[in-house]
Amino acid sequence: MSFGWAIVGIGRHPDLRMAPAIRQADASARLLAVCSRDAGRAGAFARKHGAEAGYDDYQAMLRHPGVDAVYVASPNALHAEHTIAAARAGKHVLCDKPMALTIADGRAMVDACRASGVKLGACFHLRHHPAHKEMRRLIQSGRIGEPTMAEAQWASGTRGLAGPPPRPALQGWWEDPDLVGGGATMASGVHCIDLLRFLLGKEVTDVVALTDGQTEARPLEQRAGITLRFQGGLLAQVSAARMVPDPRNDAVVYGTNARLSALGTMSMAFGGELEQADGVTVAHTRYLKGDMYQSMVEAFQEAVGQGREPDASGQDGLRCIEITRAAFESARTGRAVRLSGA
Ligand SMILES: NC(=O)c1ccc[n+]([C@@H]2O[C@H](COP(=O)([O-])OP(=O)(O)OC[C@H]3O[C@@H](n4cnc5c(N)ncnc54)[C@H](OP(=O)(O)O)[C@@H]3O)[C@@H](O)[C@H]2O)c1
């Protein structure tokens, strides 16, 4: 049986990663329709990626025959309205990160999908890196003892002394606080936060953050240091930044008996390695070939087929919004923020 996909917001990420991931996903996946504000762009994207049709009317795209799920890749502030409309049309939704900019929007998305009996997934592709899956398995098996401390960093890179790499300018919405909602935290910090929750299998109770933004003069931060306290007391550090020379971009969990480090895995590109160190030996596993986005698409389809929640689910997306809101509140006020329900 085929699984029909549609995409709303056909910018850089769907073009480079997600449309190819859908096309390469298991045989049932088919990209059927895409939607842009511009019919010409929609048609060109549809032809390039083998979709049946390009629309400039979102409701019309939702009526395209055979569409089972919508991948939402519009500007961050529009995720909620696109998700809720898709849910009301009976479509499952895989929504890119951040799932929404406000807790109210996130809750409305979860509620709309639940009310329509469709699944809501959040695009946290790092959950689909085999190094991270193995770290989670080892932590849950007790192999490193009791986890005591963790770190996750994702900074976008420059070439250091060689100067910044040539890159196309981002579209204007990325600089509009109302549409993007935050700077480095929204770009990569949310991935670090979700990955730490995934690896540790625990919830965040308290958040403290310092950023170089969250002020009237500079609403969008370029750098954020966010400390998370997890259930049981473990402290984890998130570092998110833009334009850092040769960033390391690792995720590390220390236990009472051993350390696990995913080196160079915090990325859109596949690769890196898992280092396991117990004070006596150090073992390395390198990852050479794979596509986290393809694995995410396949896992979403499987979850829908089996009627279970996707990994990451809408609830995971909502939890991440709660944590980022708390981080921005902390950065603005200089105080620690306790999460409700903690
Ligand atoms: N999970 C990941 O690894 C990852 C990586 C990168 C990005 N993302 C997420 O994916 C989403 C899309 O990112 P992107 O890099 O593809 O963005 P982008 O290249 O800027 O594209 C966004 C698209 O949204 C459409 N759009 C609709 N309403 C708009 C408006 N009011 N202003 C501007 N554009 C509007 C535009 O298409 P038309 O002009 O054709 O309508 C535009 O091409 C974001 O939520 C981002 O956070 C996730």
Side-chain angles (χ1 to χ4, degrees):
M1 225 173 74
S2 76
F3 190 101
W5 284 92
I7 302 178
V8 59
I10 49 169
R12 198 174 148 80
H13 190 56
D15 186 35
L16 296 180
R17 304 275 178 193
M18 285 297 285
I22 291 169
R23 289 193 80 181
Q24 286 154 26
D26 74 41
S28 64
R30 291 181 62 210
L31 178 57
L32 297 178
V34 301
C35 184
S36 160
R37 292 169 300 175
D38 178 274
R41 271 203 298 279
F45 190 100
R47 282 190 294 282
K48 178 175 176 185
H49 293 286
E52 289 175 358
Y55 292 88
D56 63 1
D57 175 338
Y58 186 47
Q59 288 296 336
M61 185 191 78
L62 292 173
R63 291 192 294 273
H64 187 91
V67 170
D68 296 296
V70 177
Y71 162 51
V72 174
S74 46
N76 301 343
L78 307 181
H79 291 177
E81 72 175 71
H82 286 143
T83 295
I84 291 167
R88 288 185 180 148
K91 310 301 174 188
H92 305 288
V93 178
L94 181 57
C95 181
D96 224 313
K97 46 54 57 173
M99 197 174 86
L101 298 184
T102 65
I103 296 170
D105 271 358
R107 285 204 184 117
M109 294 161 82
V110 169
D111 289 348
C113 289
R114 193 175 290 143
S116 296
V118 296
K119 298 299 177 195
L120 172 59
C123 286
F124 288 122
H125 65 284
L126 295 178
R127 290 181 178 227
H128 299 277
H129 194 299
H132 301 152
K133 288 185 184 178
E134 180 62 0
M135 280 175 86
R136 178 178 155 96
R137 190 189 70 75
L138 290 167
I139 291 166
Q140 286 186 343
S141 73
R143 182 73 168 272
I144 68 167
E146 188 60 31
T148 55
M149 202 165 76
E151 303 160 4
Q153 173 178 309
W154 188 346
S156 64
T158 69
R159 289 185 302 176
L161 292 175
R167 70 191 275 229
L170 290 174
Q171 296 193 36
W173 72 270
W174 284 97
E175 301 301 329
D176 179 343
D178 291 339
L179 285 175
V180 72
T185 305
M186 290 310 190
S188 60
V190 290
H191 284 295
C192 301
I193 291 166
D194 181 73
L195 185 71
L196 288 165
R197 288 183 62 247
F198 173 72
L199 294 177
L200 298 166
K202 289 186 172 164
E203 290 300 344
V204 173
T205 59
D206 303 88
V207 181
V208 179
L210 289 171
T211 72
D212 64 353
Q214 280 63 58
T215 62
E216 250 178 58
R218 189 175 203 176
L220 300 178
E221 77 289 353
Q222 297 295 300
R223 279 167 278 278
I226 305 171
T227 303
L228 307 173
R229 192 192 336 252
F230 279 80
Q231 289 162 326
L234 177 146
L235 296 181
Q237 184 62 30
V238 167
S239 302
R242 285 176 155 164
M243 303 308 269
V244 170
D246 198 15
R248 297 192 63 102
N249 296 347
D250 303 335
V252 185
V253 178
Y254 296 89
T256 44
N257 302 334
R259 165 178 62 80
L260 298 173
S261 300
L263 303 174
T265 56
M266 307 295 291
S267 174
M268 287 191 269
F270 188 86
E273 58 186 84
L274 174 60
E275 184 175 84
Q276 301 184 46
D278 61 9
V280 180
T281 60
V282 180
H284 289 262
T285 307
R286 285 183 67 201
Y287 297 89
L288 302 176
K289 198 162 181 279
D291 183 334
M292 293 173 275
Y293 297 98
Q294 181 183 335
S295 303
M296 182 172 72
V297 167
E298 289 172 348
F300 181 81
Q301 290 189 192
E302 193 180 291
V304 168
Q306 295 175 354
R308 60 178 169 76
E309 287 305 311
D311 190 7
S313 68
Q315 281 295 348
D316 292 311
L318 175 56
R319 200 63 187 159
C320 195
I321 299 167
E322 290 167 351
I323 295 166
T324 51
R325 295 314 318 164
F328 289 157
E329 183 185 334
S330 174
R332 261 195 314 270
T333 61
R335 293 172 193 275
V337 177
R338 170 143 300 183
L339 293 183
S340 61

